[in-house]
């Protein structure tokens, strides 16, 4: 079923072989608590997880990961740990992952899950709008919830030459934006089409 999913993602336009390989190796069903969904875990769909959140659609995970343009050893900040599936994809690609989750029960559950499965990542319960200043700067920042705007802290914590991937917009659809920090004070934005995410929750401190 995993191999079939990889075929589907390739057909939908994912070309990064390392990303496809990671998705082909990670047991996605183990990231979904409700075993009623396990038979569907390798369909290209989002599913419900705890706290009214969702595990992202595999295509979205693959698209965002590909867009990051990861290099081995990169330091990556993820906002919205959720189930930890995206976190596991990043860990398997050989980058150092830092991930923040707003819902405490989800953070606790996912910390245990990733530890048990042997994926290395540094997790915390907190507010992603603030980034994680103690570990900044980051080579890449990945937001996995729909943000109403691009938080200043996330741009500020990006290394020069680094990239922030963030779905921006309120309501039912978000625009996938890549922000490249091309100099200490210069940020270049590109748009990569419409996606659908659960909202990035307040606090909305800029
Ligand atoms: N990467 C996850 C996606 C989960 S959905 C996965 O593959 O499972 C997005 C997650 O972002 C949810 O778990 C939600 O609780 C979290 N989130 C929302 N607002 C946040 C914020 N301000 N800071 C950190 N996490 C947030």
């Amino acid at each position: 079923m995993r191999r079939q999913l990889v075929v589907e993602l390739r057909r939908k336009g994912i070309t990064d072989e390392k990303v496809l390989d990671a998705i082909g190796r990670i047991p996605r069903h183990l990231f979904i608590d409700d075993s009623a969904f396990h038979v569907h875990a390798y369909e290209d769909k989002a599913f419900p997880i705890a706290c009214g959140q969702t595990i992202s659609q595999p295509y979205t995970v693959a698209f965002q990961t590909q867009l990051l343009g990861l290099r081995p050893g990169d330091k990556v900040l993820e906002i919205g740990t959720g189930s930890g599936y995206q976190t596991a994809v990043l860990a398997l690609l050989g980058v150092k992952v830092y991930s923040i989750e707003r819902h405490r029960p989800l953070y606790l559950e996912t910390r245990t899950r990733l530890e048990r499965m042997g994926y290395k990542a540094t997790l915390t319960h907190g507010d992603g709008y603030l980034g994680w200043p103690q570990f900044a700067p980051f080579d890449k920042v990945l937001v996995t919830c729909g943000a109403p705007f691009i938080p200043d802290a996330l741009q500020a914590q990006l290394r020069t030459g680094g990239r922030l991937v963030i779905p921006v917009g309120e309501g039912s659809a978000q625009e996938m934006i890549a922000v490249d920090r091309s100099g200490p004070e210069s940020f270049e934005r590109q748009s990569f089409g419409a996606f659908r995410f659960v909202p990035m929750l307040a606090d909305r401190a800029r």
Side-chain angles (χ1 to χ4, degrees), residues 97-184:
V97 193
Y98 299 82
S99 185
I100 306 175
E101 171 55 49
R102 191 83 188 92
H103 283 111
R104 190 166 175 81
L106 211 41
Y107 152 70
L108 292 170
E109 182 190 322
T110 297
R111 190 181 60 175
T112 307
R113 169 184 292 131
L114 289 173
E115 257 169 33
R116 214 182 272 146
M117 295 178 78
Y119 294 109
K120 278 209 188 70
T122 307
L123 307 186
T124 192
H125 168 233
D127 177 15
Y129 281 91
L130 307 175
W132 202 342
Q134 293 94 309
F135 292 108
F138 298 96
D139 298 292
K140 310 283 157 61
V141 177
L142 173 60
V143 180
T144 71
C145 37
F149 54 85
I150 299 178
D152 286 345
L154 300 185
Q155 292 200 151
Q157 290 172 32
L158 208 52
R159 197 190 296 284
T160 296
R163 172 172 269 201
L164 162 66
V165 171
I166 180 167
V168 182
E170 289 175 283
S172 61
Q174 285 73 40
E175 192 179 348
M176 190 67 75
I177 306 282
V179 183
D180 291 310
R181 185 170 199 170
S182 44

